[in-house]
Structure formats: C-alpha cells, structure tokens
Amino acid sequence: MPRQQLTPPSDRARRAARPGSPPRRDGAVQDASTTRIRDLVRGRGGRLRLAYTRSARGGRVDALIARFRAENPEVEVVAETGWTAPNVAGLLAGRLDAAFVRPPVPEPGLTCRIVDTEELLLAVPTRHPLATGRRRLDRAEVAGLPAVMWPRENGPGMFDRTIAQIWPDGSFHLVRQEPDDEQLLRAVAEGEVVAAVPAGRARALTLPGVRLRRFTAPTPTVDIGLAWRRGATNPAVRRLAALLAAG
C-alpha cells in the first residue's frame, strides 16, 4: 500500500488563500459591527422614516429637520409627503417613524407635539368686493360665500378647526373640492370661490388673480405638529423629539 504524502500546513494555508481573495479581517469586521451597534443605541446611526404634510413646508418644520440632519449625519432620513390622515395611518401601521401632521390628532397610540402655529388667511379673487381695502375682515362678511376646500378625510382635525373658526355660525357654503392648497388658490383665481389657507402655504404659492385677507380678532390659526408612536424604540425618533423639546 503506497504511503500517503502529507502536505505541510504552510502549503495548505497557501492553497486556501486563492489568488485575488482578500485577507481575513475578522477583528476589523467585529469592531465595525460593534461601532454600528453602539451608534444605533446612541441614535447616531440607523434610519428615520419621516413624512411631511402637504400643507406645511418651510419655517420651523424645515429648520427642525435641517438641525436634525446636521447633528445626526449618520442617520439616513427617508422622507415622503402626505396628508395628515395617511401620515397617521403610516405611523400606526409602523411604516413611518415620525410624521408632521395637522392637529388635533385624537389617536391614543401616538404622541403629538406642536412645532408651529400659523395664521389662517382668506384667499379671495382680485375682482371680489372683499379684495379691496386694508382693514381686516369680519366673520359676518364671509358667511355664506361660495367656498372651495380640500376633502375632509385628508385631515379631519384641521378641516373642522378651520370651519369652526371662520364660519362659526354654520354658514360654511362648500361648492367645490380640490386636492391641495395650490389647487384651492387656482380655483380662487378663476373668480368664483373663496378659500381659507394657512399663511405660510398661501404666501409661498402666490398666484395672479388672488388676494389674501386677514381676519379680525380672534385670529384664526392652525397648528403643525410632529407625531410618533408612543413607546417608540428608534433612537433617532427620540433624538428628533428631544430637539423639538429643546426649541
């Protein structure tokens, strides 16, 4: 029986290391994994799935996210834009980590904190009698006027709050619906309807044929809030909430 020739350990090692194969770096990989885990725990890494609301961009909303990005460059911010109702649904389903919404949002499973408050303005056609002058409008002057609004199911809390402040006597006369503020203002520019629009959005979407008017006291306002699930474990959410609380 022929004697079996044993291969020296050094030869076996050389054969195992095939040409082009990178050297093993078990220690480096483990160190990198440990660093990533430590960063996640501290909120310095990971992902923040965030939704803006269509009716509010700029101002304190964008300032808050800009500050978060600057202080947490390792966090991947995955952003989208939606109405309050779908944003709330995304939070409750676990698809979103945080979302900007228009309060009130009566969901016991969510925490909501106010980011900003802005004035409601009345957009009127430039040819409308209410378009002239510099004085503020009384509620009685807009009672019963044909109005355009977005669908209530997009944001029930904001819809109801808007109507209650501007048409408190039940004289809201809805004759047309449009999907967003830009389309509301375009409808106003056509000369047939008026619309209540948050000041920031109205001034950002300046359109010819539209005049923006303010109301007498009490000034109608709407809030913009940041919402997240109660007991959220994502460290990035906690850091975002802490930035908001710190002002």
Side-chain angles (χ1 to χ4, degrees), residues 158-180:
M158 179 181 177
F159 187 101
D160 293 345
R161 179 172 175 175
T162 298
I163 305 308
Q165 292 180 91
I166 297 179
W167 292 276
D169 58 355
S171 62
F172 179 56
H173 180 35
L174 180 66
V175 299
R176 179 171 172 176
Q177 287 188 335
E178 293 292 345
D180 53 41

Side-chain angles (χ1 to χ4, degrees), residues 76-124:
E76 179 188 9
V77 179
V78 182
E80 61 184 65
T81 302
W83 286 97
T84 290
N87 286 356
V88 167
L91 288 172
L92 295 175
R95 187 179 62 80
L96 295 171
D97 298 310
F100 290 100
V101 296
R102 287 291 191 178
V105 179
E107 287 289 347
L110 300 180
T111 296
C112 184
R113 295 290 181 266
I114 301 301
V115 177
D116 201 2
T117 299
E118 58 182 324
E119 186 176 356
L120 278 171
L121 304 178
L122 188 74
V124 301

Side-chain angles (χ1 to χ4, degrees), residues 123-145:
V124 301
T126 53
R127 299 186 301 274
H128 196 279
L130 294 182
T132 60
R134 299 177 61 86
R135 64 177 180 79
R136 297 194 179 203
L137 300 177
D138 292 324
R139 270 59 166 187
E141 295 180 272
V142 304
L145 291 180

